[in-house]
Amino acid sequence: MADGKSKNMATMFRDGLFDDARILVTGGGTGLGRVMAEAYLALGAEIHICGRRKGVLDETAEALMKAHGGKVVTHGVDIRVAAAVEEMVEEIWRGSGPLTGLVNNAAGNFISPTKMLSPKGFDAIAGIVFHGSFYVTLACGKRWIGDGLAGSVISILTTWVWNGSPFTVPSAMSKAGLHIMTKSLSAEWAPYRIRLNAIAPGPFPTEGAWARLNPGGAMEAAASGGSEASAYGGNPWGRQGEMVELANLACFLMAPGCDYMTGQCVAIDGGAYVSSGGNFSGLSRIDDEMWVRIRDQIRSVNEKDKASRTV
Ligand code: HXC
């Protein structure tokens, strides 16, 4: 297309592509997780979404079922708690039947100079991204192996798994760990027909992420050119990602017919990573005083979110 924008998802995939699928999307109540859950649902899958805010999950489930029909089941779970993950996955297996796919989407992140992080700040992010994603992968993987069933795992990473990212070090470290998990388990679990792949999205603006990665336009302030794209060191495509583009890739990787593909991480970032690293190095221009203001802004978003959590 002339403007470089994607066509509607329906033009890419046939109806009923996921009729036999049952997919868990962690953090599926909002943002990218919700978009991927919706795409799978629209193509026939039964969907399970989990997160810490049961109310938000229930609202999403209702809206998605209203729009597409089908079945969306919600689970109020903090994936940092291994026992709660185990309980949720067992409940899915017993109550609905075995999953066919898992999307490790739930994440936590905020921009901060590493010198301003406390151990608890690091643990909050590593607990969700690194530990939590592993707990869910293990809970599903051991059941697939035990039942002799195939399975597919997609983990949402970032391009920083290749080059790191200043100012989001706990996230970059944790996602790099998941990258290695993807590669390691793709070999270990291939004999069981369990696939693991990953997506490395560039800038896809969602409310949860942007409140913590671009509070008050911090990135624009840091960018030399003043445009949002230049905050990423200049995105050669000249725009941010469209949600449908991410959903298309998530559908492709999950689809039957993609069986021989495993252990891969695909970037979808308009060429940001290959052109200039696609990370937060532009934030070096922010001074300490400004960082304190940014931190306070992020914390107030965190507190607001916390108030609506049920687990
Ligand atoms: C420094 C901070 C901070 C900040 C929190 N902390 N925000 N430190 N600067 N801006 C510190 C706190 O002071 C505290 O440490 C510790 O982190 C834990 O804070 P809590 O708020 O109690 O944590 P918790 O309630 O567990 O919340 C976790 C969270 C929060 C990660 C901090 O942001 C969250 O729930 N996020 C979920 C949604 C999200 O982040 N989405 C964005 C994903 S984007 P002390 O020592 O003070 O007690 C993504 C990649 C995108 O993943 C890639 C784009 C290219």
Side-chain angles (χ1 to χ4, degrees):
M1 292 170 85
D3 64 358
K5 289 188 174 182
S6 62
K7 291 181 184 173
N8 187 284
M9 187 171 59
T11 60
M12 259 189 104
F13 299 101
R14 65 171 167 80
D15 285 345
L17 182 66
F18 292 115
D19 272 354
D20 299 323
R22 180 175 296 111
I23 301 168
L24 169 63
V25 182
T26 67
T30 54
L32 302 184
R34 177 180 169 143
V35 171
M36 290 184 282
E38 179 168 17
Y40 294 136
L41 179 74
L43 292 167
E46 175 185 310
I47 297 299
H48 291 255
I49 53 178
C50 68
R52 290 171 290 178
R53 295 175 292 164
K54 183 80 162 69
V56 171
L57 295 169
D58 289 342
E59 273 171 34
T60 295
E62 205 184 312
L64 296 189
M65 286 190 286
K66 197 171 166 206
H68 304 284
K71 185 173 168 192
V72 181
V73 184
T74 64
H75 305 270
V77 166
D78 184 343
I79 63 166
R80 290 179 285 195
V81 183
V85 167
E86 183 60 26
E87 202 177 304
M88 168 181 68
V89 175
E90 182 59 25
E91 191 183 306
I92 295 172
W93 242 258
R94 269 193 287 110
S96 300
L99 290 168
T100 59
L102 161 68
V103 181
N104 285 319
N105 163 78
N109 199 1
F110 51 79
I111 51 169
S112 173
T114 305
K115 69 183 181 187
M116 285 171 70
L117 286 177
S118 67
K120 236 180 109 192
F122 177 87
D123 290 348
I125 293 167
I128 301 170
V129 181
F130 186 69
H131 291 265
S133 303
F134 177 77
Y135 298 154
V136 190
T137 303
L138 178 64
C140 294
K142 69 184 185 187
R143 284 175 174 79
W144 284 325
I145 293 167
D147 296 347
L149 295 171
S152 176
V153 179
I154 296 172
S155 296
I156 306 303
L157 309 180
T158 73
T159 53
W160 319 328
V161 301
W162 293 304
N163 62 335
S165 179
F167 305 104
T168 52
V169 168
S171 170
M173 288 171 66
S174 300
K175 291 202 181 254
L178 291 188
H179 189 210
I180 285 296
M181 178 189 81
T182 298
K183 294 201 267 193
S184 307
L185 285 181
S186 69
E188 189 175 327
W189 287 356
Y192 302 115
R193 297 297 175 261
I194 298 171
R195 302 190 296 121
L196 292 99
N197 290 294
I199 296 175
F204 283 82
T206 64
E207 201 184 323
W210 252 226
R212 296 170 174 96
L213 300 178
N214 188 23
M219 289 195 293
E220 286 87 339
S224 52
S227 77
E228 195 157 347
S230 66
Y232 291 89
N235 187 309
W237 209 262
R239 65 165 172 85
Q240 296 166 332
E242 285 181 57
M243 297 303 182
V244 67
E245 294 170 314
L246 185 100
N248 283 338
L249 180 55
C251 287
F252 170 77
L253 291 174
M254 191 62 88
C258 212
D259 295 347
Y260 203 49
M261 182 170 177
T262 191
Q264 303 306 303
C265 179
V266 184
I268 178 162
D269 69 344
Y273 164 68
V274 286
S275 69
S276 56
N279 63 20
F280 283 101
S281 51
L283 298 181
S284 303
R285 296 181 193 90
I286 294 177
D287 62 23
D288 282 359
E289 204 180 305
M290 174 78 171
W291 271 118
V292 171
R293 284 207 297 277
I294 289 172
R295 186 188 59 194
D296 293 344
Q297 259 177 298
I298 294 171
R299 279 184 174 154
S300 74
V301 175
N302 291 345
E303 291 312 314
K304 216 171 120 214
D305 270 17
K306 243 185 242 179
S308 57
R309 277 185 212 156
T310 47
V311 289

